């Protein structure tokens, strides 16, 4: 039996380019791994690839082949020519489902690492990263962890320097948002504004030097000032109530606030651990979210516990 711990992510910068011919958008995506994470336990099974899930959101996690953990196990087995793979994967879920924190991608990355260990395959890390990119744009980062710049559709990763620990709060919404729907809304708003949404209309985004310096310096105030998410307007358009969540966290003393990825989870940067606890408590009392978690990062990627 192998248990793998895997982090969620927040995008401290999410620069979104135009819509490409393949349906994806070029990104300048600064991923940041946080300690709020899932655990995936792999155990031997003679009944093929099976899944179970525990945690407050377990009821909305698909336990069929659409789950990235199952797809990861199947992909790893196929890569090694294993004709009839057997594994039971249990997901202990803490990452909000469809929340913009790459929870499904995290479980896919964790399943790659867990099955690799259970089946004693010793797959090189570079190969695991390639398999992860086949599973989804955010899966390679869940393997890598830390802080990294993701280019292309997010899968081409460059690790970034980050000093010290940053303290975060995540406000969890009722219900998720579909990532493709949020990207479509971003395109629609760009068309409506007259700027156009194709990759020939929108400049290719790049990482913000001030944000990279704030990370390298461990400067939470500077990082808070540099937080940006090009999907935020689209997420707020689909879920206007998130504006009140962002406001509640800011009024409670957060240094900075933004929608996490495609949302609807909202992320707040705090001064220190006590500040994060206070913001989380205020958000829970505000009635603007289902719950709120204080956490920290950066932390490493998927690894055997
Ligand atoms: O790669 P992944 O399967 O996680 O992407 C889910 C969806 O999100 C894609 O089908 C696409 O609609 C959207 N997406 C995008 N550009 C990206 C990443 C994702 O448009 N860079």
């Amino acid at each position: 039996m192998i248990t793998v711990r895997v982090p969620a992510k927040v995008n401290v910068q999410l620069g979104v380019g135009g819509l490409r011919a393949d349906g994806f958008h070029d990104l300048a995506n600064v991923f940041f791994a946080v300690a709020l994470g899932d655990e995936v336990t792999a155990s031997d099974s003679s009944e093929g690839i099976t899944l179970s899930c525990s945690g407050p959101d377990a009821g909305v996690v698909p336990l069929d082949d659409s789950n990235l953990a199952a797809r990861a196990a199947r992909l790893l087995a196929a890569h090694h020519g294993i004709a009839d793979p057997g594994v039971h994967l249990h997901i202990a879920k803490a990452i909000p489902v469809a929340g913009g924190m790459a929870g499904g991608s995290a479980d896919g990355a964790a399943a790659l690492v867990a099955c690799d260990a259970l089946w004693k395959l010793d797959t090189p890390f570079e190969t695991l990263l390639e398999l992860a990119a086949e599973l989804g744009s955010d899966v390679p980062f869940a393997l890598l962890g830390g802080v990294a710049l993701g280019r292309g559709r997010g899968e081409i990763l460059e690790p970034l320097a980050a000093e010290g620990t940053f303290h975060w709060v995540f406000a969890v919404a009722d219900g998720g948002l579909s990532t493709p729907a949020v990207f479509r809304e971003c395109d629609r708003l760009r068309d409506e504004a007259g700027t156009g949404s194709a990759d020939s209309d929108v400049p290719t985004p790049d990482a913000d030097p001030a944000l990279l310096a704030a990370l390298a310096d461990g400067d939470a105030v500077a990082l808070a000032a540099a937080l940006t998410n090009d999907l935020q307007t689209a997420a707020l358009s689909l879920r206007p109530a998130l504006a009140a969540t962002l406001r509640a966290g800011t009024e409670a003393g957060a240094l900075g606030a933004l929608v996490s990825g495609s949302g609807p989870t909202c992320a707040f940067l705090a001064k220190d651990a006590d500040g994060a606890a206070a913001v989380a408590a205020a958000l829970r009392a505000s009635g603007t979210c289902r719950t709120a978690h204080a956490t920290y990062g950066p932390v490493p990627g998927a690894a055997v516990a």
Side-chain angles (χ1 to χ4, degrees):
M1 198 164 89
I2 305 281
T3 294
V4 170
R5 209 173 151 66
V6 63
K9 61 84 180 165
V10 56
N11 310 90
V12 289
Q13 181 186 351
L14 185 45
V16 179
L19 178 63
R20 309 190 315 204
D22 66 358
F24 287 89
H25 298 72
D26 268 322
L27 304 178
N29 187 350
V30 182
F31 290 104
F32 185 111
V34 292
L36 172 67
D38 287 351
E39 275 183 7
V40 174
T41 299
S43 41
D44 288 320
S45 166
S46 53
E47 291 163 29
I49 296 170
T50 56
L51 293 180
S52 57
C53 186
S54 59
D57 285 352
V60 292
V61 173
L63 298 179
D64 59 12
D65 242 25
S66 67
N67 191 300
L68 276 170
R71 288 173 46 202
R74 202 169 302 288
L75 184 66
L76 184 69
H79 177 79
H80 287 279
I82 301 170
D84 195 13
V87 64
H88 180 75
L89 294 165
H90 179 77
I91 303 168
K93 190 125 210 76
I95 307 174
V97 177
M101 297 190 73
S105 300
D107 300 341
L112 282 178
V113 173
C115 291
D116 186 60
L118 186 75
W119 297 335
K120 300 189 169 57
L121 298 172
D122 241 343
T123 312
F125 188 65
E126 281 303 315
T127 306
L128 288 179
L129 283 173
E130 285 166 22
L131 297 174
E134 276 184 53
L135 291 168
S137 308
D138 288 346
V139 184
F141 177 71
L143 282 179
L144 190 67
V147 184
L149 172 61
R151 294 180 186 278
R153 59 186 168 87
E155 86 285 16
I156 305 165
L157 293 174
E158 178 192 326
L160 294 173
E163 175 68 32
T165 295
F166 293 88
H167 296 272
W168 291 93
V169 178
F170 292 93
V172 182
D174 271 322
L177 273 174
S178 143
T179 301
V182 176
F183 274 103
R184 273 198 304 276
E185 180 67 359
C186 175
D187 294 338
R188 191 189 71 75
L189 291 169
R190 285 173 169 175
D191 286 333
E192 196 177 74
T195 50
S197 58
D199 54 1
S200 53
D201 301 320
V202 184
T204 304
D206 211 347
D208 171 10
L211 178 115
L212 301 186
L215 288 165
D217 294 344
D219 185 338
V221 172
L223 179 60
L227 296 171
T228 57
N229 178 358
D230 287 353
L231 290 180
Q232 179 155 321
T233 309
L236 284 167
S237 167
L238 296 175
R239 198 68 78 80
L242 295 181
T245 316
L246 292 170
R247 205 164 40 240
T250 306
E251 283 169 6
L255 301 174
L258 85 173
V259 170
S260 179
S262 55
T265 306
C266 291
F268 303 88
L269 191 57
K271 186 161 129 301
D272 50 25
D274 286 346
V279 170
L283 279 163
R284 283 192 288 265
S286 73
T288 64
C289 56
R290 174 153 62 89
T291 186
H293 305 291
T295 184
Y296 63 88
V299 296
V304 174

